[in-house]
Amino acid sequence: MSLQDDLWSRAQHALPGGVSSPVRAFQAVDGDPIFYREASGAHFEDLDGKRYLDFVMSWGPMILGHAHPTVVETVQAAVTRGMSYGAPCEDEVKLAEKVRDWHPAVEKLRFVSSGTEAVMSAIRLARGATGRDRILKFSGCYHGHSDALLVAAGSGLVTFGEPASAGVPADFTHLTSVLPLDDDAALEAFFADKGGELAVAVIEPLPANNGLLVQRKAFLEKLRALTEEHGALLLFDEVISGFRLGKGGASEAYEITPDLVTFGKIMGGGMPVGAFGGSVALMDQLAPLGPVYQAGTLSGNPVAMAAGLATLQVLEEQDAYQRLESLGQRLEQGLAEASEGRQLPFRLVRVASLFWLAPLGTDAVRSAEALPADFGEAYRPIHSALLAQGIYLAPSAYEVGFLSTAHQEEDVDRLVSALASFAR
Ligand SMILES: *Cc1c(COP(=O)(O)O)cnc(C)c1O
């Protein structure tokens, strides 16, 4: 029995599903999850020493690649100064200042320890600041696993949400309305009916958790205009797009400034970090200055702050966004050329260093509802074929791929030729 097989069988006895987060369990693809033994740059090794080219990159945080030397050195130095203070530290202020300089929506920032916490807390702030209870989300967007957001669209048009998980009380979800993405008429109808009771509309401006559902700028602009008109706030959940599309995330890319923004993933450079930010007037509603309570023992953790700050500094020094865009273009062009002779079984959607293998026969897919139901099945053999060649794509058709500055041209070319030869 391999070390990998042995640990997987132990894991299934010790952890529900053998994992600490469900998508890792490989239920949507064939085979067993891979245990990383170590990771460096764009590659990792499993327990048995098999080497893989990684396009998951911890689901986004590792934009500089695994174990980037500058980040590792900075974290090592930080650890020797103490792992947690429960008190403010210098890097926390520096990281907040940097994000304020980079992101158009941020004047002040509050740190938490995950993306889930960031969105959950930003929503409490929005409710406290507006004195309203209703929130609006869009199906196909993911905002972490807090109760108010684990909500699916109910039956009927513009209706109340229903729990998307056991254990979420229906009473909680009645305050969450769910609309389809890319539907101007539904948006207008909702605001005409419920705009006056809405605290906040939350959206991934570049939805990247149910495929890559690139939105029309006009749809996002309409959402901005309607929230403003009805005295509601707009929250851009930039946990993936933040520091990924550029210094100012999707807000800068779309030239739309939300009232609140949430971060995670890249901001911690691989350590557990989240944050939410907005104007001084809004953020000062938080305790200890204002009436909205929010706290965390490990919030602003010195090691995590050091990792995040080092990551943003390296991104800046390396002119990383240009590099990432050129890698993304190479992937796009490579697949376009590969598809000239033969039909690929998918269509590539790519924005900056994010990519997704979208179903064939669909034009731009902009909403979860536009995805064919059986689309996950077509992905299984692609995933297995690439895994056999040592190329690790996300173990679900609905997850996007991530490029990092550690990926080389030849790594992208390897992905292109593996996908092209699968089509043969
Ligand atoms: C990952 C993600 C979250 C949740 O972050 P966690 O750190 O996993 O809690 C929230 N929103 C978006 C857009 C995400 O991609």
Side-chain angles (χ1 to χ4, degrees):
M1 203 186 218
S2 70
L3 292 174
Q4 160 81 32
D5 291 344
D6 181 45
L7 194 61
W8 175 231
S9 104
R10 281 168 52 202
Q12 287 171 281
H13 287 100
L15 307 163
V19 294
S20 299
S21 193
V23 70
R24 300 178 193 171
F26 270 50
Q27 293 202 333
V29 291
D30 299 320
D32 295 334
I34 300 163
F35 285 81
Y36 284 50
R37 184 176 69 187
E38 59 177 64
S40 166
H43 292 85
F44 67 92
E45 267 180 29
D46 73 8
L47 290 180
D48 299 306
K50 183 171 177 194
R51 191 173 145 88
Y52 292 88
L53 174 58
D54 194 357
F55 289 102
V56 180
M57 305 308 289
S58 184
W59 309 95
M62 311 321 294
I63 193 170
L64 302 177
H66 295 288
H68 186 280
T70 308
V71 180
V72 169
E73 270 168 42
T74 307
V75 167
Q76 280 172 338
V79 166
T80 64
R81 295 191 299 266
M83 310 247 310
S84 177
Y85 305 145
C89 68
E90 184 179 6
D91 282 347
E92 181 182 13
V93 180
K94 285 186 174 170
L95 183 53
E97 287 171 345
K98 188 162 266 314
V99 175
R100 182 187 63 194
D101 292 346
W102 283 16
H103 199 284
V106 176
E107 290 178 356
K108 283 191 177 181
L109 204 60
R110 167 71 49 100
F111 288 108
V112 291
S113 298
S114 70
T116 295
E117 251 188 290
V119 185
M120 180 185 84
S121 308
I123 283 177
R124 181 178 309 136
L125 174 58
R127 283 172 161 160
T130 57
R132 299 174 177 180
D133 290 340
R134 179 160 302 283
I135 66 174
L136 169 65
K137 78 177 284 282
F138 294 87
S139 60
C141 288
Y142 179 67
H143 304 292
H145 62 90
S146 67
D147 284 345
L149 291 160
L150 274 188
V151 178
S155 46
L157 213 64
V158 189
T159 178
F160 300 130
E162 288 174 359
S165 163
V168 175
D171 281 355
F172 291 12
T173 64
H174 287 164
L175 289 173
T176 304
S177 295
V178 185
L179 291 181
L181 288 162
D182 192 43
D183 188 337
D184 291 63
L187 199 60
E188 280 163 11
F190 170 81
F191 273 92
D193 184 29
K194 297 237 162 11
E197 34 178 293
L198 187 68
V200 62
V202 52
I203 190 169
E204 286 179 82
L206 177 62
N209 279 289
N210 196 86
L212 194 56
L213 305 175
V214 184
Q215 296 302 291
R216 290 173 295 113
K217 187 178 178 187
F219 180 72
L220 297 172
E221 283 171 339
K222 185 176 283 287
L223 181 61
R224 173 68 285 189
L226 285 169
T227 44
E228 220 159 70
E229 194 181 308
H230 289 84
L233 301 177
L234 176 61
L235 164 55
F236 274 2
D237 183 355
E238 296 228 46
V239 170
I240 283 188
S241 56
F243 318 108
R244 170 67 61 181
L245 300 194
K247 288 180 173 180
S251 303
E252 181 182 58
Y254 283 106
E255 300 171 296
I256 298 172
T257 308
D259 302 291
L260 288 165
V261 60
T262 47
F263 302 107
K265 300 197 168 113
I266 291 173
M267 179 182 251
M271 300 291 289
V273 174
F276 59 104
S279 68
V280 170
L282 264 179
M283 296 303 289
D284 283 355
Q285 304 274 320
L286 285 172
L289 297 179
V292 179
Y293 189 70
Q294 195 284 323
T297 303
L298 295 176
S299 298
N301 172 272
V303 182
M305 295 292 103
L309 187 59
T311 298
L312 298 199
Q313 277 165 350
V314 174
L315 280 172
E316 186 164 35
E317 283 156 17
Q318 287 190 346
D319 224 346
Y321 296 111
Q322 236 174 329
R323 165 84 187 146
L324 290 164
E325 174 62 24
S326 86
L327 286 174
Q329 280 175 9
R330 191 179 182 93
L331 175 60
E332 200 168 279
Q333 281 157 13
L335 282 175
E337 281 162 28
S339 68
E340 270 162 24
R342 67 193 83 90
Q343 177 75 31
L344 299 180
F346 54 81
R347 195 172 52 75
L348 181 82
V349 178
R350 195 268 311 177
V351 177
S353 49
L354 298 171
F355 65 91
W356 177 49
L357 308 181
L360 274 185
T362 49
D363 277 352
V365 185
R366 302 193 192 284
S367 70
E369 290 75 11
L371 275 174
D374 61 348
F375 140 76
E377 283 309 302
Y379 182 73
R380 280 177 189 268
I382 303 179
H383 186 265
S384 301
L386 267 65
L387 206 57
Q389 298 173 55
I391 299 176
Y392 184 49
L393 290 179
S396 159
Y398 295 88
E399 303 286 351
V400 299
F402 295 89
L403 298 170
S404 74
T405 55
H407 285 92
Q408 304 299 313
E409 278 78 2
E410 71 220 39
D411 297 327
V412 172
D413 296 349
R414 239 186 104 194
L415 175 59
V416 168
S417 67
L419 287 169
S421 63
F422 175 84
R424 248 181 249 132

